[in-house]
Amino acid sequence: MSPERAPAAVAAVAAGVADDAVAATPARFDAAWLGVRLRAMLGALRGRRLCVAYSGGLDSAVLLSALVALRARERFVLRALHVNHRIQPRSAHWARAARLRARKLRVPCKIIDLTVEHSRGQSLEAAAREARYRALAAELACDELLLTAHHQDDQLETVLLALLRGSGVRGLAAMGAVTPWAHTLLLRPLLPVTRTQLEHYARTRRLDWSEDPSNADERFDRNYLRRAVLPLIRQRWPTAAATISRSAAHLAEARWLLEQLARTSLQEAHDGAALRVSVLRRLAMPQRRNAVRQWIAERGLQLPDHRRLREICGPMLEARDDALPRVSWRGGELRRYADRLFAFGAVASRMSPPAIEQWDWRARPWLALAGGGALGLVRDRHGDVRLAALPRLLSVRHRRGGERLQGSHGRLALKDLLQVQGLAPWERGAVPLIVHAGRIIAVADLWLDRAYRTQDERPADRGRFRWRRSAAEYDDYD
């Protein structure tokens, strides 16, 4: 689930705390400090609906406890979500313990059971993280904010791992305090706080928490960094976590500026759901990569790696107009047709055309199409459809190949019509064909048989076909 996809109002709240990204490490952590921090991030807390991603570990236990201490005074609504990945033998026990501890705090806690599947080349840890955030997003109400217990030491690990992976500005900016995410906001109020401070809070208040033994497994990169590398770094540079967090905040600001530049670059390139290749070609290569990267993120897709991004912005955009290049990665796929560039999700539909559907257009003006989108027949005083000529029951199907239409000057190949209309090859298989007595009488809202066109009808007897398109992903290159 992409953090970039969020309503404008939500993004505006996130932008409002941008200057607070380099919050100082507190002298000590307690509920009073957390209240000040949250008000700086959100403004008034009264009436807010807060949801804690509650693993039951030390960090989230401290966050939940401190929020409970604030709840009566600030008058917000609080609940918790625990995700059971069912990876560890004691996962079910931890889930029950989390619910019990939340109940003692009088906090509703829902358990989400997952089955984590990871694809080839994807680590189990990464697959679990993606599945966890998808599940959390699905559970949140539209006005509910998600809080996680990431702290300053987590930020240090994230930045160092990003450096070791060769990440760019986006990756090195690491975790933001407030991030537009799904349909809401993801809050990380503990980023200025050290793990030592959280441990002190937990022990002085005698909190209970669960320990995941996999956190000691140094086969995982993050654990190795935490246990073997960071103690040496801290021995030499005791303030490493604070200073590297400050660098991450500077990079977050640079990322924001690059995103604004990208949106400016994309203004002229937008063509519906696609981008104009000719406009992208006019951009200098660094600006082109920045714009394409931003567009992919705004489409809610995982970003491609460095090599594939260079392939997209180089050979793919520079290819001949009659080529049909595509670039795929684990998180998505880009396809080009003529002067347009399209983006698709990782699990592109490979369906064969759906069967014929019967449509009583008088009883049901809009028909949901099996391949996605919808077809409508609406009354329109300026419409070109002679409603009286239409039978009550129509058939709707998709292309099979070789169809011909009765045009004004003889027979017309459906394939030629769709090419003239500028539809990309994979869009053509999703075009709904309206059929009566075995004859195609209309092609979506693109073409209408002259026998059904208006002549001298009254405005009340006129209508118009409407086709609401979706991202058609048929592999029809006919």
Side-chain angles (χ1 to χ4, degrees), residues 8-52:
V10 168
V13 174
V17 296
D19 292 338
D20 189 43
V22 201
T25 303
R28 70 169 185 164
F29 170 80
D30 56 19
W33 179 89
L34 181 60
V36 172
R37 174 72 171 153
L38 286 172
R39 286 191 295 274
M41 296 167 78
L42 295 172
L45 300 179
R46 184 171 183 170
R48 292 277 193 180
R49 299 180 63 186
L50 307 183
C51 180
V52 175

Side-chain angles (χ1 to χ4, degrees), residues 169-359:
V169 170
R170 180 181 290 269
L172 294 174
M175 297 180 287
V178 181
T179 305
W181 172 75
H183 51 273
T184 181
L185 288 176
L186 174 60
L187 308 180
R188 301 182 181 97
L190 304 186
L191 283 181
V193 183
T194 68
R195 179 176 173 83
T196 300
Q197 290 175 316
L198 297 180
E199 288 175 348
H200 177 75
Y201 179 97
R203 297 193 190 285
T204 56
R205 285 160 181 77
R206 298 179 181 178
L207 300 184
D208 292 325
W209 64 87
S210 300
E211 292 283 1
D212 184 348
S214 69
N215 288 335
D217 188 346
E218 294 186 8
R219 291 176 298 175
F220 296 111
D221 290 345
R222 187 176 287 270
N223 293 344
Y224 178 79
L225 188 65
R226 181 186 305 130
R227 295 170 61 86
V229 178
L230 288 180
L232 297 175
I233 290 178
R234 287 195 180 93
Q235 185 177 345
R236 180 64 182 251
W237 297 282
T239 61
T243 54
I244 288 180
S245 292
R246 189 163 63 246
S247 294
H250 295 324
L251 286 162
E253 190 171 273
R255 169 184 169 173
W256 184 85
L257 291 170
L258 287 171
E259 289 172 352
Q260 300 313 303
L261 175 62
R263 292 188 180 103
T264 301
S265 302
L266 289 169
Q267 284 178 354
E268 190 181 345
H270 280 298
D271 181 10
L275 292 182
R276 287 285 178 192
V277 173
S278 55
V279 175
L280 294 175
R281 282 174 171 171
R282 296 201 296 266
L283 300 175
M285 188 57 74
Q287 194 174 0
R288 185 188 301 183
R289 286 196 293 267
N290 184 49
V292 170
R293 186 189 297 113
Q294 178 66 23
W295 178 65
I296 293 172
E298 288 177 352
R299 301 287 294 173
L301 304 179
Q302 181 179 318
L303 292 175
D305 59 31
H306 180 71
R307 179 178 63 83
R308 287 182 176 84
L309 183 63
R310 285 185 173 272
E311 183 180 354
I312 292 165
C313 295
M316 185 179 195
L317 295 184
E318 299 297 340
R320 301 188 320 271
D321 283 352
D322 60 351
L324 295 169
R326 63 169 69 186
V327 176
S328 303
W329 65 98
R330 192 173 60 83
E333 181 176 88
L334 295 193
R335 303 178 192 173
R336 183 182 156 197
Y337 173 65
D339 193 39
R340 291 185 294 166
L341 186 67
F342 298 84
F344 297 92
V347 186
S349 172
R350 296 291 182 259
M351 299 178 297
S352 56
I356 296 175
E357 299 184 67
Q358 300 302 313
W359 182 26

